[in-house]
């Protein structure tokens, strides 16, 4: 057990003056600043996360849960860097508190981080074009995804509005064109839909004509090469 956690728990368990000392370990401020996290996740689908960051060199970094219970402690290196590995994250929202501590057990002000564990696939609505026949070489596919998620169409990222709406222009080749749409939320969960659009050019078609959609029952043809996509 790290000495910072060992002393904190010992003083707290002693009661009386020991409990007061334990409280002071929280309230007395270091001469150094609080820990600064680097790229801390706000959402994850994993059961454990790693927190890293910087403080002053050769300090202790103590991790507490939201109720003030000491969970883990490490030391900063000569550059002030630290890593807290394999921190369990429960379902829903979990709050952690980090404090730097010197050799006299004086603690810095807290750094708080809240992490949401999300294992649900994000919403993804794609306007129905599956099995449609078009006579233009470009068509627009659109829909709505979970706000804050990332959407790709045939692997190409497209803009997503604040309300989750998105659209992309797909360049078609004659024949069956599979179009794969994937939404990825902040936690890394994904939802994918694939639709197939049949492009049947006519003699009067221009090379970049606007697609005219006619409903049909054409089904997806596995192995077809996805067409190129340009976002709008």
């Amino acid at each position: 057990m790290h000495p910072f956690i060992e002393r904190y728990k010992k003083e707290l368990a002693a009661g009386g003056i020991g409990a007061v000392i334990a409280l002071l370990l929280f309230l007395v401020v270091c001469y150094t600043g609080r820990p600064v996290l680097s790229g801390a996740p706000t959402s994850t689908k994993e059961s454990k996360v790693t927190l890293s960051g910087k403080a002053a060199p050769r300090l202790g970094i103590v991790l507490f849960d939201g109720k003030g219970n000491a969970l883990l402690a490490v030391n900063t290196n000569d550059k002030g860097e630290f890593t807290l590995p394999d921190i369990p994250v429960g379902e829903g929202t979990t709050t952690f508190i980090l404090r730097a501590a010197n050799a006299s057990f004086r603690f810095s002000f807290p750094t708080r981080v809240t992490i949401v564990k999300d294992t649900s696939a994000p919403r993804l609505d794609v306007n129905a074009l599956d099995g449609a026949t078009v006579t233009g070489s470009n068509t627009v596919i659109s829909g709505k995804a979970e706000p804050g998620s990332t959407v790709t169409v045939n692997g190409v990222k497209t803009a997503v509005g604040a309300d989750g709406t998105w659209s992309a222009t797909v360049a078609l080749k004659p024949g069956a064109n599979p179009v794969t749409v994937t939404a990825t939320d902040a936690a890394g969960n994904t939802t994918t839909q694939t639709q197939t659009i049949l492009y049947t050019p006519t003699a009067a078609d221009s090379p970049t004509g606007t697609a005219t959609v006619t409903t049909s029952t054409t089904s997806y043809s596995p192995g077809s090469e996805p067409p190129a996509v340009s976002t709008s």
Side-chain angles (χ1 to χ4, degrees):
M1 180 181 296
H2 195 282
F4 291 116
I5 295 181
E6 185 176 10
R7 178 172 176 182
Y8 169 77
K9 289 186 175 180
K10 180 179 178 181
E11 298 289 0
L12 190 61
I17 189 64
V20 174
I21 294 174
L23 178 61
L24 289 176
L25 290 177
F26 277 108
L27 299 180
V28 178
V29 179
C30 271
Y31 296 109
T32 57
R34 69 187 72 189
V36 177
L37 290 171
S38 304
T42 57
S43 184
T44 183
K45 63 179 180 179
E46 307 298 335
S47 58
K48 294 182 179 180
V49 298
T50 295
L51 297 178
S52 59
K54 294 191 71 174
R58 297 178 296 281
L59 290 181
I61 302 296
V62 186
L63 177 73
F64 301 88
D65 64 18
K67 297 180 179 179
N69 299 307
L71 303 175
L72 179 65
V74 296
N75 294 320
T76 60
N77 61 21
D78 290 341
K79 296 180 180 180
E81 302 164 334
F82 66 88
T83 298
L84 293 158
D86 299 327
I87 303 168
V89 179
E91 294 293 335
T93 300
T94 303
T95 297
F96 296 105
I97 301 169
L98 291 86
R99 294 177 185 264
N102 63 14
S104 299
F105 289 89
R106 296 192 176 192
F107 280 73
S108 71
F109 284 117
T111 295
R112 298 178 183 271
V113 58
T114 298
I115 301 173
V116 177
K117 184 177 180 181
D118 177 11
T119 57
S120 300
R123 168 187 174 182
L124 175 60
D125 298 330
V126 181
N127 292 337
L129 287 176
D130 195 30
T133 298
V134 301
T135 57
S137 59
N138 291 327
T139 192
V140 175
I141 187 167
S142 61
K144 194 168 188 178
E146 180 179 306
S149 61
T150 300
V151 174
T152 61
V153 180
N154 283 350
V156 179
K157 186 176 179 181
T158 188
V160 180
D163 60 352
T165 55
W166 58 270
S167 66
T169 300
V170 180
L172 304 176
K173 298 178 180 179
N177 291 261
V179 179
T180 299
V181 182
T182 299
T184 306
D185 65 17
N189 302 296
T190 62
T191 299
T192 298
Q193 291 190 35
T194 297
Q195 297 194 1
T196 299
I197 303 172
L198 183 63
Y199 171 34
T200 305
T202 64
D205 286 339
S206 64
T208 58
T210 301
T212 302
V213 177
T214 304
T215 301
S216 74
T217 57
T218 304
S219 59
Y220 171 54
S221 301
S224 298
E225 181 182 354
V229 177
S230 63
T231 60
S232 62

